[in-house]
């Protein structure tokens, strides 16, 4: 499942995993974890060599339970630290470093292989295009920038209109960086279904994805 920030990917992906009894992987959390450690270690995130070296050394422990997708770096839980504004604003730069992507994509492919034969729902930006190009079901989830900013603000507990405006500007900036970077940009795979959740409830989107899974499974049997 791919899509921009605030499109509802995490909520939908976790619910699909629960409903189908599958594992779950949030690849954005892996890029966030590397970013969090880089910021904490006071590494200049524009220094690609330093960031790549840190990603090479960092030992990521990634949980794949849809109810508790815990993530740790070098044995330290970072779940509470990876959703801060500082990490959110720095993560696109870290995720654009090709060596970081190579390292994390390889790890993601390993986690996907380990989830076999149960299966796994994986969310990110390049899952259908790069990480799992042979995935049987590909979903690209999107929504208007305004609705995505409102959802993000709500998650962050923000209430003021200025906060929403700031979140919208930051989301816009991150969308541009994630979509235009040279390495594995956010892309809609040819064989993905595209769902626009702007006017849909979580339940509507989950139902639509489940119907699509049934269609794919009927075609395969
Ligand atoms: O989904 P998210 O907001 O937690 O993702 C954090 C950042 O990581 C986002 O700016 C893009 C990047 N990312 C990526 O480049 N590739 C992925 N597969 C997942 C996330």
């Amino acid at each position: 499942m791919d899509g921009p920030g605030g499109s509802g990917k995490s909520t939908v992906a976790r619910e699909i995993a629960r409903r189908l009894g599958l594992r779950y992987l949030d690849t954005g959390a892996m890029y966030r974890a590397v970013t969090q450690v880089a910021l904490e270690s006071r590494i200049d995130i524009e220094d690609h060599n330093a960031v790549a070296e840190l990603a090479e050394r960092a030992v990521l422990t990634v949980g794949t339970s849809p109810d508790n997708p815990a993530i740790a770096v070098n044995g330290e839980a970072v779940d509470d630290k990876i959703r801060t504004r500082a990490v959110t604003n720095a993560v696109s730069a870290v995720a654009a470093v090709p060596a970081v992507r190579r390292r994390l994509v390889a790890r993601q492919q390993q986690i996907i292989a380990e989830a076999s034969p149960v299966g796994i729902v994986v969310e990110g930006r390049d899952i259908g295009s790069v990480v799992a190009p042979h995935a049987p079901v590909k979903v690209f989830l999107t929504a208007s920038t305004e609705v995505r900013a409102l959802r993000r603000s709500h998650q962050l507990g923000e209430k003021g209109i200025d906060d929403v405006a700031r979140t919208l500007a930051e989301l816009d900036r991150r969308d541009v960086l994630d979509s235009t970077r040279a390495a594995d940009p956010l892309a809609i795979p040819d064989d993905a279904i595209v769902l626009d959740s702007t006017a849909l409830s979580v339940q509507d989107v989950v139902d639509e994805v489940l119907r699509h899974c049934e269609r794919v499974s009927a075609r395969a049997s």
Side-chain angles (χ1 to χ4, degrees), residues 16-49:
I16 298 290
R18 279 189 206 104
R19 295 274 287 270
L20 298 179
L22 303 173
R23 309 308 296 170
Y24 162 75
L25 176 63
D26 174 2
T27 60
M30 298 171 72
Y31 289 97
R32 285 174 179 273
V34 171
T35 306
Q36 195 276 327
V37 176
L39 293 178
E40 202 168 80
S41 318
R42 305 209 177 282
I43 285 178
D44 175 5
I45 57 160
E46 299 301 331
D47 181 345
H48 288 190
N49 288 336

Side-chain angles (χ1 to χ4, degrees), residues 9-215:
K9 279 188 319 279
S10 295
T11 313
V12 172
R14 286 170 79 162
E15 184 57 17
I16 298 290
R18 279 189 206 104
R19 295 274 287 270
L20 298 179
L22 303 173
R23 309 308 296 170
Y24 162 75
L25 176 63
D26 174 2
T27 60
M30 298 171 72
Y31 289 97
R32 285 174 179 273
V34 171
T35 306
Q36 195 276 327
V37 176
L39 293 178
E40 202 168 80
S41 318
R42 305 209 177 282
I43 285 178
D44 175 5
I45 57 160
E46 299 301 331
D47 181 345
H48 288 190
N49 288 336
V51 173
E53 202 181 300
L54 180 137
E56 197 58 48
R57 277 198 324 261
V59 180
L60 293 188
T61 313
V62 190
T64 59
S65 156
D67 293 314
N68 180 27
I71 184 157
V73 187
N74 303 327
E76 192 206 333
V78 290
D79 312 81
D80 294 342
K81 297 181 178 172
I82 60 173
R83 313 274 164 203
T84 61
R85 194 158 225 138
V87 170
T88 300
N89 285 337
V91 64
S92 289
V94 170
V97 178
V100 172
R101 301 203 69 81
R102 273 197 299 279
R103 167 97 175 147
L104 293 192
V105 167
R107 189 66 213 290
Q108 289 153 16
Q109 290 172 334
Q110 184 189 13
I111 294 169
I112 292 169
E114 283 167 6
S116 170
V118 172
I120 188 163
V121 180
V122 185
E123 63 153 293
R125 302 288 191 288
D126 59 341
I127 308 306
S129 51
V130 175
V131 177
H134 303 299
V137 174
K138 295 184 188 176
V139 177
F140 189 93
L141 196 55
T142 185
S144 73
T145 317
E146 290 76 13
V147 163
R148 291 190 290 117
L150 277 173
R151 288 176 186 160
R152 263 290 142 88
S153 263
H154 183 72
Q155 273 168 5
L156 293 167
E158 298 171 344
K159 294 195 173 62
I161 191 73
D162 289 348
D163 291 329
V164 178
R166 178 154 77 120
T167 299
L168 196 146
E170 288 170 358
L171 206 61
D172 253 342
R173 186 185 136 266
R174 214 147 60 87
D175 281 354
V176 171
L177 290 173
D178 292 341
S179 309
T180 57
R181 66 173 177 234
D184 314 341
L186 173 68
I188 305 179
D190 287 342
D191 47 352
I193 56 157
V194 180
L195 291 176
D196 184 334
S197 74
T198 305
L200 297 179
S201 68
V202 169
Q203 197 51 54
D204 289 339
V205 179
V206 168
D207 288 346
E208 192 56 49
V209 174
L210 288 175
R211 273 197 293 275
H212 180 59
C213 291
E214 275 166 23
R215 279 195 298 270

